[in-house]
């Protein structure tokens, strides 16, 4: 195991890490497309939210880094389904169907990507219903889209000062080296994977959570920052309270992309009920911090507290009004 790093060194390393800084690219696209809180109401959630019958239809899309697809094509295909399902779940939805777009130099090179997608679709019980194929390109590339439905939406824009931050993560598994992808899905029986799809919709429909996001490529730290900026609040993460696999150093865990992981906010009276909903499925969940006034995400440990990012000074997603929200 690596030696314990001081808190401020962890913060500096996170700020400079590519998985954190890559999310800054989102602001370039939203600016060019004119997607602002004023133009769309609530841009930048994990899914597009479209009014539908008995709730809302959800639509999401994920693209994958070419180096990842080339290095681990079968798992990239699996992740194409898995991470899109997480986007639907994070907004209180139930996944309905998946489509894909794949580019490859040949059918032979495309095969493991498609096989991984097929295996994941069967394991989660979410069908692949179509897509786009091009077998005349120089490199493997993958994009996957998903459609879902939510009776009651969990939004990234509705955390309020005074809420409790909850981290829910499936710790059963290991890293899919050499990337910071914590894989708990391939060691979990398909029946358990499918059963866990009900947790987020059920806590949403029960009114137990106030906001949330799935833990994405930016890890816990980057996801907390996106949630804070979208809601116009500050967040204080208590590092020792985070669910974390044994033997994994804190710096890596804070930037890791888990196969099943969510940051949620709730009123203090509902936090135990939210955690219990995950515990019933063998998934770790703990209150791990607080939503505060302000515009900064802080990391706090026994050593003290250190500011990780102030989005008022350095916008991360650049999606919302700069005015912070108050309790």
């Amino acid at each position: 195991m690596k030696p314990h790093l001081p808190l401020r060194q962890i913060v500096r390393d996170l700020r400079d890490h590519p998985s954190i800084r890559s999310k800054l690219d989102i602001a370039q696209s939203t600016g060019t497309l004119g997607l602002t809180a004023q133009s769309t109401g609530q841009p930048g959630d994990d899914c597009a939210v479209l009014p539908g019958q008995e709730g809302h239809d959800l639509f999401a899309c994920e693209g994958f880094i070419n180096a990842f697809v080339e290095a681990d094509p079968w798992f990239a295909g699996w992740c194409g389904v898995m991470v899109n399902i997480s986007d639907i779940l994070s907004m209180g939805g139930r996944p309905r169907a998946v489509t894909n777009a794949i580019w490859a130099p040949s059918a032979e090179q495309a095969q493991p990507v498609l096989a991984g997608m097929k295996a994941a679709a069967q394991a989660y019980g979410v069908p692949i219903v179509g897509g786009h194929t091009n077998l005349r390109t120089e490199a493997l590339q993958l994009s996957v889209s998903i459609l879902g439905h939510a009776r009651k939406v969990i939004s990234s824009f509705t955390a309020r000062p005074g809420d409790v931050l909850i981290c829910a993560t499936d710790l059963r598994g290991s890293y899919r080296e050499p990337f910071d992808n914590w894989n708990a899905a391939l060691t979990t029986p398909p029946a358990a994977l499918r059963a866990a799809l009900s947790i987020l919709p059920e806590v949403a429909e029960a009114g137990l959570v106030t906001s949330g996001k799935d833990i994405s490529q930016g890890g816990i730290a980057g996801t907390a920052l996106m949630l804070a900026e979208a809601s116009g609040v500050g967040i204080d993460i208590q590092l020792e309270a985070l669910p974390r696999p044994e033997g994994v150093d804190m710096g890596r865990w804070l930037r890791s992309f888990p196969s099943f992981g969510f940051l949620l906010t709730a009123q203090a009276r509902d936090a135990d009920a939210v955690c219990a909903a995950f515990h019933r499925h063998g998934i770790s969940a703990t209150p791990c911090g607080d939503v505060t006034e302000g515009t900064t995400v802080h990391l706090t440990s026994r050593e003290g507290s250190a500011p990780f990012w102030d989005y008022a000074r350095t916008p991360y997603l650049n999606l919302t009004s700069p005015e912070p929200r108050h309790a």
Side-chain angles (χ1 to χ4, degrees):
M1 184 186 300
K2 292 182 179 180
H4 171 73
L5 291 177
L7 176 60
R8 294 191 179 276
Q9 182 63 53
I10 291 174
V11 168
R12 285 193 293 269
D13 291 347
L14 285 171
R15 286 178 187 152
D16 293 335
H17 197 275
S19 66
I20 301 291
R21 302 200 68 83
S22 66
K23 294 292 184 179
L24 290 165
D25 296 348
I26 296 173
Q28 302 299 320
S29 295
T30 54
T32 300
L33 294 171
L35 298 178
T36 66
Q38 291 73 27
S39 69
T40 63
Q42 288 190 348
D45 257 344
D46 290 305
C47 305
V49 182
L50 309 172
Q53 293 185 347
E54 300 181 2
H56 293 83
D57 293 321
L58 305 176
F59 179 72
C61 178
E62 295 280 354
F64 293 84
I65 298 170
N66 288 0
F68 171 52
V69 181
E70 182 178 357
D72 201 347
W74 187 93
F75 189 57
W78 175 284
C79 287
V81 174
M82 179 181 71
V83 301
N84 270 286
I85 288 174
S86 289
D87 282 341
I88 297 294
L89 299 182
S90 72
M91 298 199 64
R94 292 174 170 84
R96 293 182 58 190
V98 169
T99 63
N100 76 319
I102 185 169
W103 297 261
S106 67
E108 182 181 9
Q109 289 175 269
Q111 193 278 331
V113 180
L114 297 173
M117 284 194 66
K118 180 179 179 181
Q122 292 174 336
Y124 286 100
V126 180
I128 300 171
V129 297
H132 167 84
T133 302
N134 185 315
L135 301 179
R136 293 171 175 79
T137 59
E138 294 182 358
L140 275 172
Q141 299 177 69
L142 177 65
S143 177
V144 183
S145 300
I146 192 167
L147 183 69
H149 184 268
R151 295 173 186 161
K152 186 172 182 180
V153 168
I154 299 172
S155 173
S156 301
F157 289 78
T158 49
R160 293 292 183 272
D163 286 348
V164 174
L165 182 71
I166 296 168
C167 181
T169 315
D170 192 343
L171 303 182
R172 300 166 292 187
S174 60
Y175 279 110
R176 186 87 172 188
E177 303 288 359
F179 301 98
D180 291 328
N181 297 324
W182 181 261
N183 171 31
L186 295 179
T187 56
T188 301
L193 292 176
R194 292 192 291 270
L197 300 184
S198 66
I199 303 172
L200 273 299
E202 288 175 359
V203 298
E205 290 158 13
L208 295 176
V209 296
T210 56
S211 73
K213 288 188 74 67
D214 70 315
I215 300 173
S216 66
Q217 192 66 51
I220 292 169
T223 301
L225 175 54
M226 290 186 283
L227 178 59
E229 184 175 8
S231 288
V233 296
I235 289 179
D236 184 1
I237 303 175
Q238 305 289 332
L239 298 186
E240 280 87 3
L242 288 171
R244 177 167 54 119
E246 185 177 353
V248 175
D249 74 86
M250 183 64 73
R252 188 179 193 188
W253 186 239
L254 287 169
R255 66 174 189 262
S256 293
F257 190 172
S259 60
F260 189 97
F262 300 88
L263 290 182
L264 304 166
T265 64
Q267 295 185 37
R269 65 173 183 266
D270 296 323
D272 287 346
V274 173
C275 293
F278 289 96
H279 296 163
R280 286 192 288 271
H281 292 265
I283 294 166
S284 300
T286 60
C288 62
D290 300 288
V291 180
T292 65
E293 295 187 4
T295 58
T296 302
V297 173
H298 285 86
L299 304 183
T300 299
S301 73
R302 296 185 184 93
E303 299 175 35
S305 184
F308 164 57
W309 200 294
D310 181 352
Y311 60 81
R313 298 183 62 180
T314 308
Y316 196 53
L317 300 180
N318 200 28
L319 289 172
T320 61
S321 167
E323 296 182 6
R325 293 176 181 169
H326 305 282

